[in-house]
Each structure stands twice: as structure tokens, then as C-alpha cells.
Amino acid sequence: LFQCEDQKVELLYDTLKRVCDSFSQHFPPSISLSLHSSTSYLGFFISDSHEHILKEFALAFSSEASALADCHVKPCLKQLHLTLAHKFYPHHQKTLEQLAKYINPRETCQWVAALYSRDMRFVHYQTLRALFQYKPQNIDELMINTGDFIYVDPTQQSNVSEGWVIGISHRTGCRGFLPENYTERANESDTWVKHREYVLATASRIVTQTENEPNVKLNGEGHNPSMSRSITNVRSLQNATLRRGVLVMRHGERVDQVFGKSWLQQCLTADGKYYRADLNFPSTLPKRKDSVKQFEYDPPLSCCGIFQSRLIGEALLDQEVTVSYVYSSPALRCVQTAQHVLQGLKLDQKVKIRVEPGLFEWTKWEASKVIPNFMTVTELVEASYKIDTSYRGNFPLASLVPSESYEEYVNRSSVVIKQIITACSSKGEGVILIVAHGSSLASFSRPLIGLPARDSSDFAQVVRRIPSLGMCFCEELKEENKWQMVNPPVKTLTHGANAAFNWRNGIVED
């Protein structure tokens, strides 16, 4: 860590690139690591024979940064190590050691030099991550959205009411009170900004590159995608048409996510007719035979949710992803997401949506404690959704149990995903798109790749962090008769909040 003036950051880019160029091909394809364990630390130490190249690199960068950018960089010259676990409970040590022994430290690795920065004003602050959206009730409270990072100064909390903290939003820079139980502790590094990344060549990468694996430019540096593997063997998707894959996607932004559970009351006239109270409400609601009030339990996408879904479809099209089958939860928001993703892919006239009741989320999380009245297949078709009317679900709608146990939900998910895989095995290529819920990413992917279900409390924490249109991708290894997790074919979609605005406030009225 070192300080650099903003106007000299460009010179730091040049410094890093120059050092990377001079050390190109000097880094070994693998390094010697020895496992070290104590009652509070578990990790690998780098052997003396290999750490010299890292220390030479650090010294060279220090020297170049001082000469080019006038920055004083103190290189790290103490023994280098890779931490796996730190400050754990002593009774966890044995289990952690067993897990560590499964890691093969002789795997080949890719060397990347990256330049990050952080806001020095918040160096001594704690970093919190918002678990839920919070809308201020008073003028001195802070507006937060799920996933926001909040800086909290521990020295300023003494006079704050119990259960509350005063913090500064990383996204907006605004300061105010917020409920502490809406947040969790986050890593300080989550708020660091990544500026540049340079990939260093190794001897093995040059030898293994073939005509079928062209160099991709990454920030001006040659980068061989075939070697972009982490130690967990999570690989980038190179060509989705070569292998069969399963893309599990959460639905787009739903209206009650923005406007709250009482959103429908804002949009109904005295005689019960729907009107658009805000531009983020859908322009119309699809017709259904039962009461329009059923949308309260089966909400549609917001206009932003529709846009998000189409954007993801267009990104998949750009990556030449071949979607062969589309399955959707019966929830309207999922059907709509699937429809707009297909429109973005330009497949809405070719691939039809199979509505699968077994894809619905864990019913314990339904606030009404009953299974919602979903729109029927006939109603969806009449509303111009491209539904496969010949499809018969693996899990009948009538079999969904209100407030099911976690074990029941996990078993249902495991059975349904395996039935879908079996039903789509005839073609053997292309992507099976599953549009469902945040809970679906773990409950469908983990059994597919052979992992056990998470503990229910851990599961809930993971699901809370999955944003609209969050996705994960599994790829089939036919020759090994198994599936593995790989990077999704498109990047994540990140966007900020846009609070409701009344032009009178602060402009005309005091």
C-alpha cells in the first residue's frame, strides 16, 4: 500500500506495464507451496526457491514508481504466503486442515499484476454491506439499497441509539442513520477500485497456445483465455455451442422490490382499474380471469426489470450463446423475464417457454403462507407469452406445499433439475436456460455438480446477496460424465437506485 496523487495514476499504469514487460516469461508456471497450520492460521508458505521472482518484481516496481511517478513504494520483503483461513475457532482446525489437503498446490497458475486504489478518507472505517433496502423515515436517515457498501467510523457511534449506526454510502456519498440489522460486515477490499490488470506470460502458456486459442487483448496485454483458470478450476465459457450447459438465472426487478408490498394499491382507481402511477410500473397488466388483486402475490416485472431482461438476452446473443430450451418458474415475473431474454436473443419466435411448477422458490418464503394463484398457461398464451402448451411439468402445481421444510425444497429442486437434464439429453448441445428465483442458483446448481446442500441459515445468507438477473452456469463434461461450474457467458448487471422525486420539494417549497 502506498499513496499516489490522482494526476499521477496514468504514470503508475505505465510503470506497471513496463515492469510486467521486463519480467514477461520469467514467472514459473507453478510454484512450490508448503502447508502451514496453527490454532489460528492455515495457509501455504512460498518456498525460498520461488519467492525470489516475486520479491524482484516488487523491487523493480518500487524503483520504477519512484522514478516515473514520484511515488514512494515500500516493497514487501517478508516471507510470502497464501492465507486460507485466519482467526478461526480452534475446534475447526482439524476440519480446515482436511479441506486444505484436497488443494493441489502443484497446479499450474496464471500470474496477473493488478493495480487497485481505495479512498483514503475511509481507511480506518468499518465497511458494511446492506442486506436489504431501507427507505428513510426521517430526514437524518440514509437511503440504502441491497448490496450497497456503507462506511462506518467506530469512533462516532457512542451517542447513536442502540440498533442503529451512522454511516456514509459508498455509492452516493450521503451520510445518515441506518438500522444495523439491515447490514453485515464486509471486506474492506470490496470497496477498492480496480484500475489496470496485466497478465504475465509463462513458459507453459506459450507452449500450450494453439491456433484454436487466439490471444485476447486484456487492457492492452496479450491474454490466453485457455489459461484463465483459478485454483478452483472455474473457467470462462469459450464457446457455449461446443458443450451442453445449464444457465440458471434469477428473474429481473419486480415491482414490489421497488414500490413495496402495497404497490398494487398505488395503481388501482376507485373502481378497481389499473393505471400507471410511476414510469417504472408496467404500462399494462396481463388479463387474468380471477381478481387483479392476485398480482399482489404474483407480481410482474417493473419496466426496469423488462429492460434488464432484454439487455441480458442481447448480451447472450453477442456472445453467440445457443439456447436450445427455456424453462421458467410459474411466477409471472419469471415468465416475463424468460420472454424478454428470448426477445433479446431473437429467439422468441423459435424457442418456447416451458412452465415448470417445480422451479418455484422455497414456499416457506411466501409471505402469504399460501401458494400464489399463478396465471394459467392459457392466460399466458392469450397475453402473448410464447409458452410451450404441449409441455407437461415434472412437478404438478398441486404438489407445491405451503411453508415446506428446507429438506423438502432441496429434494424438490434436486429431482426437478435432474428431470430437466434427462428430458433435454437428446440433442446434447446448446444451453438450457432456467429462469427462476434467487434461491434457485444454489438449489439447482449444487446437486448438478455433486455438492451437498448448504445449511439452511447459510443458504438464506447466500440468497439475500443474489441480485436481479444474477446467474450461474454449469457446463457438462461428457467424457467424465459430470458437470462443473464455469463463469457465466455474460458479465453481471450492476446499476444504482433512482429514488422517487417530486419537483416541489426543495425547488418550490421549503
Side-chain angles (χ1 to χ4, degrees):
L1 292 170
F2 58 94
Q3 292 189 23
C4 175
E5 296 175 32
D6 290 349
Q7 64 268 29
K8 294 180 180 177
V9 172
E10 290 288 344
L11 294 173
L12 275 183
Y13 301 159
D14 296 337
T15 299
L16 187 60
K17 184 179 187 305
R18 181 178 297 194
V19 176
C20 288
D21 287 344
S22 65
F23 276 78
S24 182
Q25 301 178 37
H26 283 70
F27 278 74
S30 63
I31 54 175
S32 177
L33 297 171
S34 56
L35 189 64
H36 174 79
S37 178
S38 71
T39 54
S40 63
Y41 175 84
L42 182 70
F44 290 111
F45 279 83
I46 300 173
S47 68
D48 294 339
S49 60
H50 278 131
E51 74 170 3
H52 74 277
I53 185 67
L54 292 167
K55 292 183 175 179
E56 287 177 11
F57 182 88
L59 281 168
F61 179 75
S62 173
S63 176
E64 291 281 342
S66 177
L68 282 180
D70 193 25
C71 291
H72 177 63
V73 182
K74 186 179 180 181
C76 177
L77 298 177
K78 60 185 179 182
Q79 186 172 17
L80 301 174
H81 57 277
L82 174 66
T83 299
L84 298 175
H86 188 222
K87 293 184 179 178
F88 44 81
Y89 291 112
H91 64 274
H92 287 163
Q93 182 180 355
K94 187 176 179 181
T95 305
L96 290 169
E97 286 176 349
Q98 290 173 341
L99 287 171
K101 287 174 183 176
Y102 282 103
I103 298 173
N104 178 11
R106 290 178 295 277
E107 284 277 1
T108 57
C109 59
Q110 177 188 11
W111 293 98
V112 179
L115 189 65
Y116 292 84
S117 72
R118 61 174 177 172
D119 194 326
M120 288 295 293
R121 293 173 298 175
F122 304 114
V123 167
H124 301 296
Y125 284 55
Q126 290 179 352
T127 305
L128 304 179
R129 179 191 288 106
L131 296 171
F132 314 101
Q133 184 186 54
Y134 180 74
K135 293 184 178 180
Q137 309 297 312
N138 297 293
I139 196 168
D140 59 353
E141 294 175 2
L142 186 65
M143 169 77 183
I144 58 173
N145 290 314
T146 305
D148 279 0
F149 292 104
I150 313 297
Y151 296 117
V152 172
D153 184 352
T155 64
Q156 295 182 358
Q157 307 305 313
S158 56
N159 296 324
V160 179
S161 302
E162 185 177 353
W164 291 78
V165 292
I166 187 166
I168 299 171
S169 169
H170 172 69
R171 179 174 56 84
T172 65
C174 295
R175 183 174 183 270
F177 293 94
L178 65 147
E180 189 173 16
N181 61 355
Y182 276 53
T183 66
E184 65 177 359
R185 284 290 295 271
N187 294 319
E188 179 188 316
S189 57
D190 286 343
T191 57
W192 291 6
V193 175
K194 187 175 183 179
H195 293 276
R196 286 290 188 277
E197 181 179 279
Y198 294 100
V199 180
L200 290 94
T202 62
S204 67
R205 290 175 64 222
I206 295 169
V207 171
T208 56
Q209 187 175 323
T210 68
E211 291 180 2
N212 295 324
E213 295 170 344
N215 270 349
V216 176
K217 291 292 181 180
L218 181 63
N219 292 328
E221 294 298 293
H223 173 54
N224 182 351
S226 70
M227 296 302 293
S228 299
R229 306 185 184 198
S230 70
I231 197 165
T232 55
N233 200 30
V234 176
R235 300 190 292 107
S236 294
L237 179 71
Q238 299 304 317
N239 190 336
T241 61
L242 294 180
R243 282 180 173 167
R244 195 157 62 126
V246 174
L247 181 61
V248 184
M249 181 185 300
R250 189 190 178 198
H251 55 77
E253 180 184 85
R254 46 195 274 184
V255 289
D256 59 340
Q257 187 179 332
V258 185
F259 300 102
K261 294 294 181 185
S262 60
W263 68 272
L264 193 59
Q265 297 172 23
Q266 303 171 45
C267 298
L268 293 181
T269 61
D271 56 355
K273 291 182 180 178
Y274 174 82
Y275 75 98
R276 195 180 196 179
D278 184 287
L279 286 180
N280 201 19
F281 284 116
S283 55
T284 59
L285 292 178
K287 291 182 180 178
R288 53 187 303 162
K289 293 182 176 65
D290 51 19
S291 169
V292 70
K293 292 186 178 179
Q294 294 300 326
F295 286 119
E296 190 173 322
Y297 308 105
D298 185 24
L301 293 180
S302 66
C303 279
C304 284
I306 292 170
F307 169 75
Q308 292 170 337
S309 305
R310 200 165 295 155
L311 188 65
I312 291 292
E314 291 169 356
L316 290 168
L317 180 64
D318 288 342
Q319 294 299 314
E320 299 180 354
V321 175
T322 303
V323 172
S324 302
Y325 302 93
V326 177
Y327 287 82
S328 171
S329 159
L332 177 59
R333 56 193 179 273
C334 298
V335 175
Q336 290 178 319
T337 300
Q339 171 98 342
H340 291 290
V341 168
L342 283 173
Q343 286 179 0
L345 275 162
K346 299 184 178 177
L347 289 176
D348 50 311
Q349 301 302 321
K350 297 178 182 177
V351 180
K352 291 193 174 181
I353 302 165
R354 296 178 172 181
V355 178
E356 172 55 64
L359 297 178
F360 189 58
E361 66 182 339
W362 186 10
T363 60
K364 179 185 175 182
W365 287 345
E366 277 299 300
S368 60
K369 302 300 180 187
V370 296
I371 305 301
N373 287 333
F374 302 114
M375 290 179 66
T376 65
V377 167
T378 303
E379 288 174 329
L380 290 169
V381 171
E382 289 174 353
S384 299
Y385 296 109
K386 306 298 182 183
I387 307 297
D388 184 348
T389 55
S390 64
Y391 176 73
R392 296 293 175 265
N394 294 296
F395 195 92
L397 188 59
S399 299
L400 282 177
V401 180
S403 300
E404 65 189 329
S405 69
Y406 180 59
E407 185 178 7
E408 287 172 328
Y409 170 67
V410 166
N411 290 339
R412 163 163 67 92
S413 300
S414 179
V415 168
V416 168
I417 188 63
K418 288 172 183 174
Q419 288 174 332
I420 288 175
I421 297 299
T422 302
C424 300
S425 61
S426 57
K427 286 188 179 180
E429 288 185 0
V431 171
I432 303 166
L433 173 61
I434 294 176
V435 182
H437 307 270
S439 55
S440 309
L441 271 69
S443 64
F444 297 146
S445 299
R446 288 179 72 87
L448 197 57
I449 61 176
L451 289 178
R454 289 182 177 277
D455 178 83
S456 59
S457 59
D458 292 339
F459 177 76
Q461 290 293 328
V462 169
V463 172
R464 285 193 187 102
R465 294 196 290 267
I466 297 173
S468 299
L469 289 165
M471 64 184 81
C472 61
F473 192 86
C474 298
E475 184 181 61
E476 186 181 32
L477 299 175
K478 230 172 193 176
E479 60 278 7
E480 300 174 37
N481 193 30
K482 66 178 185 180
W483 293 75
Q484 69 172 356
M485 291 284 285
V486 299
N487 287 329
V490 298
K491 296 186 182 297
T492 57
L493 173 63
T494 307
H495 58 83
N498 200 46
F501 172 69
N502 186 326
W503 58 271
R504 294 182 183 277
N505 296 339
I507 297 176
V508 177
E509 298 174 352
D510 293 334

